[in-house]
Amino acid sequence: MNPQAKLISTLSLLLGTTITISSNHWTMAWTGLEINTLAILPLISKPHHPRAIEAATKYFLVQAAASTLLLFSCTTNALFTGQWDITQLTHPISCLLLTTAISTKLGLVPFHFWFPEVLQGSSLTTGLLLATAMKFPPITLFLLTSPSLNYTLLTIMAIASAALGGWAGLNQTQIRKILAFSSISHLGWMTIIIIYNPKLTLITFYLYCMMTAAIFLTLKTTKSLKLSSMMAAWTKIPSLNAILMLALLSLAGLPPLTGFLPKWLIIQELTKQGMTSTATIIALLSLLGLFFYLRLAYCATITLPPNSANYMKQWQTNKPVNTLTTIFITLTITLLPLSPMIFS
């Protein structure tokens, strides 16, 4: 891709995100979301492969429909209440339409169908952007409007996302699709607590972005796109693959790794709010996801491909690991013991 075009797309992504998260007016928030959508399309379709073009088309159609619904929602609210302020969303129909629009943009169940397909058709770098940075503006809008949202609907969608994210990822062999269903499952955890403790949703999102970035950057270094290629990747950089196992277990939410922290805090908050049954259900549903994280970890470190020793040696590489990857992986593994110091 032309460096100038890549620079324009990257700057447009930053501009769109900044406009959305800093605006008070619905029209400006909508404009930022549209800039984001248009900026990511060249990055998705960059490989010039039919699968990439299909992914870009699906992404454009879904995001355009969600943006239209969001604009209709805020227009309806302005018609009945005379308010264009984001925090003044009070009309019930507008709240319902907004929940649908933002859920479609994020990929929450039952509006999740586009996300695994788009992630599968994108490169690992673009997939990382789709799974992390592109979710930040919609989540910000969710946070700003959280007092007005229908909690029953959000709880149902959150539990359904946690269930389907774990269930649908079980029989996948493509790593990007597994990470897409992982993202859907984590969105369920973020959504279930958003009304009671929006700051906790934001902490969960930040930690999820950090862990996902560590995994995507490691996969990019080892060039692993499916389970079969992951089995042979340990011969390239054995130490990095060993650490990848810990990063995957962290994303699964196992203590004493960083991924346990948001789940622990969310379950604690739900219990405080008297929602013990909801906390139990979502905690049990996370066990579904644990299975495919363990399978990825098993393929990354424990499975040996049936190759001769000479074949393994020729795959050895001395390629240095990116500094950013090292930082993200370190934080993914070690942040839980430091959490009392952070929160104090």
Side-chain angles (χ1 to χ4, degrees):
M1 188 177 184
N2 190 336
Q4 285 83 5
K6 190 180 283 189
L7 179 66
I8 290 169
S9 292
T10 310
L11 290 175
S12 300
L13 278 174
L14 289 171
L15 177 68
T17 304
T18 308
I19 288 172
T20 302
I21 65 176
S22 60
S23 58
N24 293 319
H25 199 282
W26 274 114
T27 313
M28 287 304 293
W30 174 80
T31 305
L33 290 171
E34 287 301 295
I35 292 170
N36 259 5
T37 302
L38 294 174
I40 196 76
L41 287 173
L43 298 176
I44 298 173
S45 56
K46 179 178 64 175
H48 298 296
H49 187 272
R51 194 71 189 260
I53 305 300
E54 182 190 340
T57 309
K58 284 178 180 175
Y59 185 79
F60 173 72
L61 291 174
V62 170
Q63 296 298 314
S67 295
T68 308
L69 206 55
L70 187 139
L71 197 59
F72 182 58
S73 160
C74 57
T75 309
T76 309
N77 187 66
L79 182 69
F80 284 105
T81 64
Q83 286 287 345
W84 281 97
D85 196 288
I86 290 177
T87 55
Q88 300 296 321
L89 190 78
T90 51
H91 197 265
I93 295 174
S94 299
C95 292
L96 189 65
L97 288 172
L98 179 84
T99 307
T100 307
I102 301 293
S103 302
T104 307
K105 279 197 167 291
L106 288 171
L108 273 170
V109 174
F111 311 105
H112 67 284
F113 298 102
W114 63 274
F115 189 57
E117 297 298 325
V118 170
L119 212 65
Q120 177 59 30
S122 312
S123 65
L124 284 170
T125 312
T126 312
L128 174 59
L129 282 174
L130 288 169
T132 55
M134 296 302 292
K135 292 186 186 295
F136 187 44
I139 280 192
T140 308
L141 292 179
F142 249 169
L143 289 170
L144 291 171
T145 57
S146 58
S148 313
L149 300 176
N150 184 336
Y151 185 70
T152 310
L153 178 64
L154 282 180
T155 307
I156 292 167
M157 288 168 69
I159 291 173
S161 297
L164 189 130
W167 195 264
L170 291 177
N171 64 341
Q172 299 295 334
T173 57
Q174 298 287 337
I175 296 172
R176 282 169 293 182
K177 275 197 175 180
I178 291 174
L179 290 172
F181 286 115
S182 159
S183 178
I184 292 167
S185 177
H186 277 84
L187 279 170
W189 281 85
M190 294 175 213
T191 309
I192 204 160
I193 203 68
I194 197 164
I195 286 178
Y196 291 124
N197 196 338
K199 287 182 182 176
L200 188 50
T201 298
L202 210 53
I203 290 169
T204 308
F205 178 70
Y206 289 151
L207 292 175
Y208 161 74
C209 287
M210 185 183 67
M211 294 183 289
T212 305
I215 289 169
F216 267 101
L217 291 170
T218 306
L219 292 172
K220 190 185 176 188
T221 306
T222 58
K223 294 183 172 58
S224 305
L225 293 176
K226 49 189 176 180
L227 292 181
S228 56
S229 61
M230 198 182 219
M231 290 177 191
W234 73 272
T235 56
K236 296 179 185 176
I237 311 175
S239 56
L240 188 63
N241 261 41
I243 295 171
L244 174 63
M245 179 185 73
L246 292 175
L248 287 163
L249 294 179
S250 180
L251 196 62
L254 288 184
L257 302 165
T258 305
F260 178 64
L261 177 62
K263 293 188 176 180
W264 175 26
L265 293 173
I266 288 170
I267 289 171
Q268 191 178 26
E269 185 66 32
L270 287 172
T271 311
K272 278 183 192 173
Q273 300 291 342
M275 302 178 65
T276 317
S277 56
T278 309
T280 308
I281 290 167
I282 201 164
L284 289 171
L285 288 172
S286 69
L287 295 175
L288 287 169
L290 178 61
F291 176 82
F292 61 72
Y293 291 123
L294 284 172
R295 189 171 65 154
L296 280 172
Y298 180 82
C299 290
T301 53
I302 302 169
T303 310
L304 293 178
N307 298 325
S308 67
N310 294 332
Y311 181 74
M312 289 184 203
K313 280 181 181 175
Q314 73 183 19
W315 278 93
Q316 283 281 0
T317 177
N318 293 320
K319 184 182 177 183
V321 179
N322 190 351
T323 312
L324 200 61
T325 311
T326 311
I327 293 168
F328 279 133
I329 283 181
T330 307
L331 291 172
T332 298
I333 294 168
T334 61
L335 213 55
L336 179 65
L338 301 175
S339 57
M341 186 174 68
I342 294 165
F343 287 114
S344 63

